[in-house]
Each structure stands twice: as structure tokens, then as C-alpha cells.
Amino acid sequence: MSNLLLIIPLLLLLSTSAPPSLGLAHQSTSISAFRQCLQNHNHSDAVLYLPTNSSFLPVLNAYIHNKRFIGPATAKPLAIVTPTHESHVQATVLCAKANNLQIRTRSGGHDYEGLSYRSPSPFILLDLNNLRRIELDVETETAWVEAGATLGELYYAIANKTNTLAFPAGVCPSIGVGGHFAGGGYGNLLRKYGLSVDNVLDARVVDARGEILNRSTMGDLFWAIRGGGGASFGVILSWKVKLVRVPEVVTAFQVDRWLDQGASDIFYRWQQVSTNLSKDIFIRAMPQVVTTPENKTKVMISFVGEYLGRTKDSFPELGFREVDGKEMSWVETVLFWAMIPVNKPLEVLLNRKSEPSYFKSKSDYVTEIIPREALPGIWDALLKVGPCFTQWNPYGGRMAEIDTDEAAYAHRAGYLFKVQYYVWWVEDGEEAEARHVGALDALHEAVTPYVTKEPREAYLNYRDLENGVNSVEKPEWSKAKVYGEKYFKGHFERLAKIKAEFDPENFFRDQQSIPPFPHSH
């Protein structure tokens, strides 16, 4: 008898939680065969949750951060597997494939469109939250990080050992490293050290054959998973990363300006200088809509930055007479950027969950300075969205030095900024969603003349299904090219050829995955 822990009997599957394309009999047969296959692998400690168990929905919803995908309208997995060992992942891949069931792999659950935990076709959710070990070696300045670990857990582990090492990655502590690194991994150290993937030394991946590959055995796949995403190619188990050196003291600051305080002029100057400053300086511009105490909505632009070291620089290039910089350790800047009080105990970084909210995001890349006279039109469109923010993140520095073909991430030299547009709301219902998403689309449209074109490029980790979707059951190359060239530019075809080598049957797929390169091409 297998030691695989089964939470409930399979015969009581709840039909309303399964994708509508399967009937009850087919569901029961597929899951029973999947269960038997797992038992045949005789693994212990892995947990299989089924929809009739009281823990199923809490486990499913624990790492869903977008409320758009919580509720009965979103198709549920036929089962959730929460592996505690790499072999459980191998068995899940083999058994799902043998029984014609898809897999969705979730590390932190921050996929903006929920593709890591939902599918229109019958699927198993492979939830990696138990695979989160971090092995840090300060002497070699390296770490092995399992895919289910969060950025907060990685930052905490580093800070517990040293205050002069860091890792270049994102702001939100609850993001899982599995998907974040695979999509590029953008953070406030990128001008100094590049992206997360520029500091990845090795990886362990379960491929479509259920085999574990590392850098020495995966060949071109190592290039692909550094910016091309992981979900198209396999299940990323862990990453070996190179830690980077930071001074003991870092200076963080934020300057807020309303439009009637000259915010547009400062923003225009910011466009001209932010990518040309020292690599030690990162200044993000955040045009946003703020509700005042008088209950009026106004545009405010926040200039949020950090300097690697001590500085009393007033940044005269931006016209700031004075910057109220706060000196702190690097890990305290992690709290600062996450809008957590810097005097909070660092254990706050270990909080893996965040309160879900309704939201939608879009992205752009900018290669030319937006004319001063065009800015009022963008602010008008921003006001019409309501409560929202945009983040304009400067490139330059190290990003301009790394060769475009070094990794699958394709947006390097020649880019001024990457932009994120983000709207959130509290009202339930389809009408509210349509209204807010429509307003965000109008803002996105207003910026069209000033961003990349043919294609209009986008960032994979700011997932947006409006960039194009494919059929999961019968994917088409022509549809994949639409979103593929937006996310990966000229690297898309190379990624598809690597896909054809490692997953020719296209087992790992979703609505925006990379299909195998077709023989006809």
C-alpha cells in the first residue's frame, strides 16, 4: 500500500468544481487512474487534495491573489498535489501525462491572469508551496532556492547571514521565485546588476519525460527558462543564484508632486536623466490617481528611489532642492519598497499570503522620450481610470551592457523604461470588472503613440491575456506568434525550437504558452 496521503476517497468527486468538458464518469476514471499511478510510484508525504475534502478550497485559494479568479465561475482543478520531494513532481508529471490531464504549476500564485492555477481543460494543480528550502553559502556568495520559496523568504535568509549581500529581484515579498525568475525577474537593483535571470547560475527542472535536468544536461533549455518563462518547458524545481554585493548603508527616498506643483516638468526631466544616472541610482516614477481628503481625485507623481551608499544628493537633474533620504540596510529597503514600515521585525517578510483583491494590469516598453506636450493627455486618461497607478521603471546601466542574446529575456539596450499600468477595485460582479478594465484599456490606448510598435512589446511577468490567447486543446502557431513576439521579440522562434526539442508533444501548455516550432516552417 502506498504511503501517498490521500485526503478523501476518489469516488466522491464534486462535479461543480471540475472543468465542464469532462462528465462525471470521465472525471472519476481519469482521477482514479491518476491516483493509482501515483500510488504505483510509492511516494510518501505528498498530499493529494480532492474537491470533496474541506481543505480543498482553502488550499486552492490560499495562493490566489486576484479575486477575479476566486469563485464558482473559475474552473477548479480535478485535484491538487502539494509535493514535499522532487520525486513527487516527477510522478505528477508522468501520471498526468499518462492520463491525458494537464498540469498547472504554482509557486507563489502571482500570475496576473491566474494561468498558474486555472485552465479551460481538465487539469491537476501542482502546488509547490512546500518546496521552499533555501541553502545559502556566504563564502561563495551563492544560494540554492527551491521554486516554492518567496522573494521575502529569500531576502530574509540573506539578511540573517549578512548585511553586505543581496539579490536582484522584485518588490512584493510574497511572489514565488519559480515563476518570477523564469519570466526575467525585475527589481530595483537591475541598473547595477541586471535581472534575476542575469544572476542565475544553475537550475533543476522536471521535463516532459519526468526526468530532472540541470544546467549541464539541459543545453539550450537553460537559455530558454531565463526570461522565456518556465511553464512552457517543464516544472522548475530550484534555482542556483549568484548573490550580489551591496554596501552596509543604502539610502532610500520618495518625493511626491501634484500636477500643480510642476510634476509634469519633473517627469519630463526624469525621462531624460533616469537611465543615464550612475548604476548605483534607481529612481522609479509613479504617476497615480489619488483621492484627496476632500474626496477629489487628482494625479500625483511619486519619484521613489534608492542609492547604493550614503548620499545627501538633491538630484538637481530632477529639479529637487531637497531629498529626504533615509539611510538603512539593504533588507530595510526591501520593506521600504514593499510599503512596510522599516522598523517592523524582518519576520514580516516570511508572510507568504496577501489579501486578494480585484485587479488588472498591462505593460509597455518605451524607447523614445515622450514629448512634454503629450503628457497632459496621458494624465487625463489616467484620471478617467479612477484609483490606479502606473510604474515607469528606468533601464540603462547594467541592462544596456548585457547582450540581447545572453538569455531569453529580450529587452535590453535601447530601452528607456518599462511601464506597468495597474487598476484595482472593490466591487463584485462582471459589470464592475468590465468598467475598470475598459478604463485601463483606454489609458493603454492613449499611450499607444509613445511606446514600442509592431509589435507593441510587453513583459511576460505582467501577464495580460489581451496580448493574445491560444486554444489549449488545439493551439495554433499563428496565434502563438501574436503574443510570443510581444513578450519575446526575435527570441520567440528560438524558444519554440527549444520547446520542440524538450516537449515535442506540447504537454506543458496554457493559453499563452510557447508551442513547438512547426515542421512546416
Side-chain angles (χ1 to χ4, degrees):
M1 181 71 179
S2 168
N3 290 326
L4 181 71
L5 178 58
L6 296 174
I7 300 300
I8 60 161
L10 270 297
L11 297 177
L12 301 178
L13 271 170
L14 186 65
S15 62
T16 56
S17 294
S21 57
L22 279 185
L24 268 176
H26 195 173
Q27 292 172 30
S28 182
T29 300
S30 296
I31 288 296
S32 294
F34 177 77
R35 170 194 181 187
Q36 186 60 53
C37 179
L38 288 177
Q39 289 177 331
N40 291 343
H41 284 81
N42 196 33
H43 294 305
S44 61
D45 301 325
V47 180
L48 177 67
Y49 296 89
L50 298 170
T52 51
N53 180 254
S54 60
S55 297
F56 178 85
L57 281 178
V59 170
L60 174 63
N61 293 338
Y63 297 103
I64 295 180
H65 302 281
N66 195 335
K67 286 181 71 174
R68 292 165 58 208
F69 310 121
I70 296 177
T74 299
K76 307 297 186 287
L78 299 182
I80 303 171
V81 179
T82 57
T84 57
H85 190 272
E86 291 179 341
S87 61
H88 301 152
V89 177
Q90 293 176 277
T92 301
V93 169
L94 291 171
C95 294
K97 190 174 181 182
N99 290 282
N100 198 30
L101 296 171
Q102 288 189 17
I103 282 180
R104 290 291 179 270
T105 302
R106 181 170 72 179
S107 54
H110 278 267
D111 187 296
Y112 277 5
E113 295 282 10
L115 299 193
S116 63
Y117 52 81
R118 69 185 185 102
S119 172
S121 299
F123 73 106
I124 304 295
L125 174 58
L126 185 58
D127 191 319
L128 303 182
N129 77 88
N130 289 325
L131 294 179
R132 57 178 191 256
R133 286 184 308 161
I134 299 172
E135 298 176 0
L136 203 70
D137 188 333
V138 174
E139 284 192 14
T140 62
E141 301 180 357
T142 61
W144 272 103
V145 189
E146 288 191 316
T150 64
L151 297 182
E153 289 168 341
L154 174 58
Y155 298 155
Y156 179 84
I158 296 171
N160 258 353
K161 292 284 185 73
T162 172
N163 63 354
T164 57
L165 291 176
F167 188 73
V171 165
C172 180
S174 60
I175 291 174
V177 305
H180 181 69
F181 292 1
Y186 186 101
N188 307 318
L189 291 173
L190 96 162
R191 301 193 68 252
K192 180 73 171 182
Y193 291 113
L195 304 170
S196 299
V197 291
D198 299 322
N199 298 278
V200 166
L201 302 173
D202 204 344
R204 291 173 63 79
V205 181
V206 175
D207 69 5
R209 301 167 299 174
E211 297 182 5
I212 296 179
L213 306 176
N214 60 27
R215 181 172 183 173
S216 65
T217 58
M218 72 174 73
D220 280 351
L221 184 58
F222 186 67
W223 179 89
I225 61 173
R226 290 180 296 138
S232 296
F233 302 99
V235 179
I236 294 172
L237 298 170
S238 57
W239 301 95
K240 184 180 183 181
V241 299
K242 176 67 175 173
L243 305 181
V244 302
R245 297 179 183 181
V246 292
E248 291 184 3
V249 175
V250 178
T251 305
F253 61 89
Q254 177 170 334
V255 178
D256 300 328
R257 292 288 186 270
W258 300 101
L259 293 185
D260 57 12
Q261 294 176 317
S264 276
D265 291 332
I266 299 172
F267 182 85
Y268 183 65
R269 286 196 292 271
W270 171 88
Q271 290 189 86
Q272 296 171 311
V273 304
S274 60
T275 58
N276 298 313
L277 296 171
S278 161
K279 292 181 186 178
D280 291 331
I281 301 173
F282 176 90
I283 304 176
R284 164 186 286 172
M286 286 187 61
Q288 56 198 301
V289 175
V290 176
T291 301
T292 68
E294 297 77 29
N295 205 32
K296 295 181 179 180
T297 54
K298 296 176 64 177
V299 172
M300 180 176 75
I301 304 180
S302 298
F303 299 89
V304 191
E306 70 180 27
Y307 174 77
L308 297 177
R310 286 186 167 92
T311 182
K312 296 190 181 301
D313 194 335
S314 60
F315 298 102
E317 301 94 338
L318 296 177
F320 296 154
R321 291 193 301 270
E322 184 178 336
V323 170
D324 187 18
K326 301 290 193 300
E327 293 184 352
M328 58 189 76
S329 66
W330 168 77
V331 75
E332 287 174 326
T333 70
V334 171
L335 302 181
F336 168 82
W337 283 100
M339 294 184 289
I340 300 171
V342 296
N343 58 356
K344 284 271 191 180
L346 291 183
E347 283 71 22
V348 70
L349 294 174
L350 302 179
N351 183 6
R352 295 177 57 85
K353 299 176 184 178
S354 60
E355 190 66 28
S357 60
Y358 293 108
F359 70 87
K360 172 69 178 178
S361 179
K362 304 182 80 66
S363 63
D364 266 319
Y365 287 92
V366 180
T367 58
E368 297 180 3
I369 291 173
I370 299 175
R372 173 67 179 83
E373 60 271 18
L375 297 178
I378 296 176
W379 310 148
D380 287 345
L382 192 64
L383 267 175
K384 292 175 182 176
V385 178
C388 67
F389 67 78
T390 62
Q391 293 178 341
W392 299 64
N393 299 290
Y395 267 44
R398 180 67 180 137
M399 287 297 286
E401 298 171 353
I402 300 173
D403 189 273
T404 302
D405 295 328
E406 175 67 24
Y409 186 87
H411 306 91
R412 301 285 188 178
Y415 290 86
L416 295 177
F417 331 111
K418 178 171 63 183
V419 187
Q420 177 179 201
Y421 314 88
Y422 190 102
V423 64
W424 68 93
W425 61 95
V426 296
E427 314 98 301
D428 296 326
E430 294 181 0
E431 188 278 330
E433 177 174 336
R435 184 173 72 255
H436 289 285
V437 172
L440 187 70
D441 287 342
L443 170 62
H444 195 241
E445 181 65 26
V447 185
T448 300
Y450 315 110
V451 299
T452 55
K453 301 172 180 64
E454 297 181 1
R456 184 173 187 170
E457 298 163 26
Y459 179 40
L460 179 64
N461 280 357
Y462 295 158
R463 175 91 65 186
D464 179 8
L465 290 183
E466 291 179 278
N467 285 325
V469 295
N470 218 334
S471 165
V472 173
E473 295 301 329
K474 295 182 179 180
E476 300 175 34
W477 175 254
S478 60
K479 291 182 178 179
K481 281 190 69 175
V482 174
Y483 56 80
E485 292 180 351
K486 291 178 182 179
Y487 290 135
F488 311 118
K489 297 177 58 185
H491 289 166
F492 173 64
E493 286 199 1
R494 181 177 174 185
L495 286 164
K497 289 174 181 176
I498 296 170
K499 168 76 167 181
E501 178 183 354
F502 287 90
D503 184 16
E505 297 175 1
N506 202 20
F507 172 66
F508 293 108
R509 64 188 188 274
D510 58 43
Q511 295 97 307
Q512 281 194 343
S513 60
I514 299 165
F517 190 76
H519 295 299
S520 60
H521 287 67

